[in-house]
Amino acid sequence: MNELLFFATILTTFLLVVFAHRFFGKNGLYAWIAFAVVFANILVTKCVRLFGMEVTLGNVLFGTVFLCTDMLNEFYGYRASRRGVFVGLYAILSFLALSQLGLAFAPSSLDTVDGSMQVLFALSPRTCLASVSMFLFSNLLDVWLFQKIKALTDGKMLWLRNNVATCISQVVENFFFFLIAFGGLFDFPTIVELTLCVSLIEVLVAFCDTPFLYLARGVRTRASAE
C-alpha cells in the first residue's frame, strides 16, 4: 500500500507543480518552492517503509524543488532559477525561526497540542545546520549543473540535464548531510549506506519528474501560441 501511495503522491505533487506554473507562471513556481520546503520539513519527521527500506516522508516534496528550479532554469534562465533557491532558503529559515518561537510559549491549562508540537518541531542544532546548508549547496549545484549541461548540449536533451543535475546534486546532498549531522556518531560505512538508501528513493523521484518537465514545456508552448 505504501508503494501505491508513493506513486500517487508523485503524480499529485508533480501535476500541482505543472498547474502552479500554468496558472501563475514564474511566481507560481516560487510559491510552490516556499510551500514545499516548509511542508517537507514537517513530513520528514514521519518514517515509513518503501521497497523494503526505512525512509522518511518528504522526499517527493523535496524533489519538487529540483523540478521547480529546473523549470525556472529552462524557461526563465539561470538567474531566475538561483532566485528560486534563495526563496526556498528564506522559507526554511522563516519556518525554523517562527516554529521555535512558537515552542517557547508556555502552554495554558487548556492546551492539548503542545507536547505533540514539541516532538514535531524540536530541533537538533547540528541536524538543522546540516539540513539548511545542504539544501542551499545542493540546489545551487543543481542549478549550475543544469545550465552547464544545457550549454554543452546546445539546448538539446532536456531529459539529460534534468536527470544528471538532479541526481548528482541529491547524492552529494545526502552524503554531506549525514556526514555533518551524524559524523562521529555513525562510522563512515554506515553514513555511506544511509546515503545510498535515501538516494535510491530520491533518484527514483528524479526520474519520475522528467515527463512532467516535458509536460510543463508543452503546456507553456501551447499557451504561448494561443
Side-chain angles (χ1 to χ4, degrees):
M1 189 63 182
N2 276 357
E3 286 75 17
L4 290 176
L5 288 171
F6 174 71
F7 287 110
T9 302
I10 287 177
L11 177 63
T12 302
T13 52
F14 287 164
L15 280 176
L16 287 172
V17 171
V18 174
F19 292 151
H21 180 247
R22 173 62 182 86
F23 295 119
F24 306 108
K26 179 167 56 175
N27 291 331
L29 296 178
Y30 290 149
W32 181 269
I33 289 171
F35 159 76
V37 295
V38 170
F39 195 39
N41 271 284
I42 297 173
L43 287 181
V44 79
T45 58
K46 180 172 181 176
C47 292
V48 298
R49 192 165 183 82
L50 283 174
F51 308 108
M53 297 181 291
E54 297 291 335
V55 298
T56 59
L57 286 182
N59 290 322
V60 175
L61 270 176
F62 279 126
T64 62
V65 176
F66 288 94
L67 174 60
C68 286
T69 55
D70 286 354
M71 288 171 64
L72 287 165
N73 213 337
E74 183 69 14
F75 305 147
Y76 302 101
Y78 178 73
R79 288 177 179 240
S81 188
R82 275 178 59 90
R83 178 172 292 183
V85 175
F86 286 105
V87 167
L89 178 65
Y90 183 81
I92 289 177
L93 294 176
S94 299
F95 167 72
L96 293 175
L98 292 175
S99 63
Q100 297 313 296
L101 283 172
L103 293 182
F105 279 85
S108 75
S109 58
L110 300 177
D111 178 79
T112 59
V113 301
D114 182 68
S116 299
M117 289 181 64
Q118 293 288 344
V119 173
L120 188 60
F121 298 132
L123 293 176
S124 160
R126 187 175 174 183
T127 302
C128 182
L129 173 64
S131 178
V132 172
S133 61
M134 284 304 102
F135 169 84
L136 179 62
F137 177 78
S138 66
N139 280 276
L140 288 177
L141 176 62
D142 173 69
V143 168
W144 181 81
L145 284 172
F146 187 98
Q147 189 64 30
K148 288 297 181 184
I149 297 171
K150 184 177 183 180
L152 289 172
T153 57
D154 296 321
K156 301 174 182 177
M157 295 189 288
L158 174 57
W159 61 270
L160 180 67
R161 56 184 175 272
N162 168 235
N163 286 302
V164 171
T166 300
C167 291
I168 290 176
S169 300
Q170 289 187 323
V171 172
V172 169
E173 176 186 21
N174 290 327
F175 174 74
F176 283 104
F177 169 80
F178 287 118
L179 189 64
I180 295 170
F182 302 111
L185 300 176
F186 299 153
D187 58 21
F188 188 75
T190 301
I191 289 174
V192 172
E193 181 180 350
L194 288 169
T195 298
L196 292 176
C197 288
V198 174
S199 296
L200 282 174
I201 297 297
E202 293 186 348
V203 166
L204 174 59
V205 173
F207 287 150
C208 289
D209 82 6
T210 304
F212 295 91
L213 183 55
Y214 278 94
L215 175 63
R217 187 171 71 173
V219 169
R220 184 170 185 264
T221 302
R222 194 176 303 113
S224 300
E226 291 175 356

